[in-house]
Amino acid sequence: MDRKKFLRLSSFGLAAFPMPLFSKSVNKPIVISTWDSGMPVNAAAWKILSANGKSVDAVEAGAVYIEDTIDCCVGLGGFPDRDGIVTLDACIMDEHANCGSVAGLEQIKHPILVARKVMDTTPHVILVGQGAQQFALQNGFKKESAELSESAKNAYKDWLKKNDYKPEINIENKKENGPFAPHFFEDGSPNHDTMGLVAMDVDGNLSGAVTTSGMAYKMHGRVGDSPIIGAGLFVDNEVGAATSSGLGEEVIRICGTHTVVEYMRQGYSPEAACKKACERIVKRDPKKAATLQVGFVAMNKKGEYGAYAIQKGFVFSVKSNTENQIHTSKYLL
Ligand code: GLY
């Protein structure tokens, strides 16, 4: 800056504080999660965020909480694949683009902690199946029983009678169970409720985590969007972070959460970015999109957040210094 310009700015007191003087303050710390079951997940993450902890530890704590508590769709209480086996997917990503992921993990209670171990201690990003389990056991995780939870056993028995898998719209939210309750259906049909969360800590750093048992009655070996970085979760600490829920195959086809973050990079708000990603899925195959659900939630570097879904029924949970509530997502169709 030349001397004359500096003096001119100084006389307005601008040179000493060039930017922050007029910029809106950042809403931090903050955590947002998919679904209403995200409320207690946010509370677990908030314990860390409110104590000035790191966002990566906060999202891990949120994922651990839900793996411990919910049946049907996350953790070992989840519904099995078509061979009657529960296989778990999870991933975690921090502000440095460090990431770790496991897919098709069997008989390990906390896939998110194994994903974190992959991130922290290996040169790799994704471990799958037997290899992921071997890595977990070598790192002190305990092998749990392969037996299905009571509810999963009953639902699976019923499913075997028809042996017919069709993804259902809003299967996550079909029955009004009330906040925080696991989502079960009267007819015993599978529920599918991926838990994804993204957070910003007091230092303004973003992280995210996802954990799920995937779609009930999927083919053995099927991997959804949840453990795929850029599909079920993406974090770019310069721009924002996003996570997804719904039919994973459709999210993978458009690199869903990476797409959302790239739209935010172009200047779209989190909600508008999520909407644009939903529109891409619909545009690719409108007829098919009418039969499925995908929802995205996103946050930018200002701590602004938003969501969008293809169909009605998607909700998400937000916790910050000023709010603690469930929001209903807008939708396209
Ligand atoms: N969105 C989770 C899955 O498709 O498995």
Side-chain angles (χ1 to χ4, degrees):
M1 191 181 301
D2 68 61
R3 200 178 119 80
K4 250 195 217 154
K5 199 166 172 197
F6 178 79
L7 288 175
R8 224 171 31 240
L9 283 175
S10 300
S11 66
F12 290 108
L14 292 177
F17 308 100
M19 274 301 290
L21 200 60
F22 298 121
S23 65
K24 196 171 159 250
S25 65
V26 175
N27 181 20
K28 63 181 182 179
I30 177 168
V31 54
I32 62 175
S33 304
T34 53
W35 302 109
D36 49 358
S37 48
M39 288 295 279
V41 168
N42 287 353
W46 190 254
K47 279 192 194 144
I48 291 173
L49 293 173
S50 59
N52 297 348
K54 285 170 69 66
S55 58
V56 69
D57 296 326
V59 294
E60 177 190 289
V64 164
Y65 172 87
I66 200 80
E67 287 170 352
D68 267 337
T69 51
I70 206 167
D71 255 355
C72 79
C73 30
V74 174
L76 290 175
F79 284 81
D81 61 24
R82 60 177 56 184
D83 294 347
I85 301 165
V86 175
T87 63
L88 303 178
D89 298 339
C91 74
I92 190 161
M93 186 167 192
D94 75 7
E95 75 267 23
H96 304 295
N98 294 318
C99 38
S101 163
V102 289
L105 180 61
E106 294 174 29
Q107 293 177 257
I108 302 290
K109 193 172 178 189
H110 285 301
I112 194 65
L113 295 180
V114 185
R116 176 79 188 259
K117 249 308 181 257
V118 172
M119 174 173 105
D120 287 345
T121 69
T122 80
H124 306 306
V125 170
I126 307 179
L127 294 180
V128 302
Q130 282 298 310
Q133 191 192 63
Q134 182 186 325
F135 172 76
L137 297 177
Q138 281 165 353
N139 280 278
F141 291 85
K142 191 172 144 240
K143 191 167 177 181
E144 308 285 341
S145 159
E147 203 179 328
L148 298 181
S149 67
E150 218 39 50
S151 54
K153 212 183 287 177
N154 293 334
Y156 182 56
K157 258 192 228 153
D158 279 351
W159 179 79
L160 280 175
K161 288 178 201 152
K162 289 182 285 178
N163 211 340
D164 173 30
Y165 176 67
K166 280 201 286 337
E168 273 191 60
I169 293 170
N170 281 334
I171 202 159
E172 299 88 348
N173 217 16
K174 217 162 182 182
K175 183 170 172 264
E176 299 301 331
N177 288 299
F180 319 153
H183 302 278
F184 291 113
F185 305 135
E186 280 128 5
D187 65 358
S189 60
N191 201 336
H192 168 55
D193 197 3
T194 304
M195 175 48 59
L197 67 159
V198 295
M200 178 159 54
D201 58 32
V202 284
D203 295 322
N205 288 321
L206 295 164
S207 299
V210 183
T211 184
T212 185
S213 49
M215 308 211 77
Y217 318 137
K218 61 195 174 187
M219 290 175 72
H220 186 62
R222 178 265 190 188
V223 175
D225 58 327
S226 302
I228 308 293
I229 299 298
L233 175 70
F234 196 67
V235 176
D236 183 323
N237 206 42
E238 289 184 358
V239 177
T243 185
S244 60
S245 184
L247 186 59
E249 281 75 3
E250 296 307 304
V251 178
I252 291 171
R253 278 187 237 282
I254 64 148
C255 294
T257 54
H258 182 263
T259 295
V260 171
V261 170
E262 289 308 301
Y263 278 125
M264 288 195 286
R265 192 192 307 279
Q266 290 172 24
Y268 286 92
S269 70
E271 182 184 292
C274 292
K275 184 180 182 194
K276 294 284 281 179
C278 289
E279 282 169 351
R280 273 209 198 175
I281 294 173
V282 174
K283 190 174 173 203
R284 196 188 68 79
D285 190 342
K287 223 164 133 193
K288 187 170 180 198
T291 69
L292 60 89
Q293 174 67 307
V294 167
F296 293 103
V297 299
M299 176 191 298
N300 66 18
K301 282 294 277 185
K302 294 181 198 153
E304 295 165 340
Y305 60 81
Y308 225 89
I310 292 180
Q311 312 276 348
K312 189 174 177 188
F314 183 48
V315 298
F316 63 106
S317 302
V318 179
K319 172 74 185 137
S320 70
N321 280 316
T322 53
E323 70 170 314
N324 185 26
Q325 60 181 317
I326 299 163
H327 291 260
T328 301
S329 168
K330 292 184 190 161
Y331 54 96
L332 276 185
L333 303 182

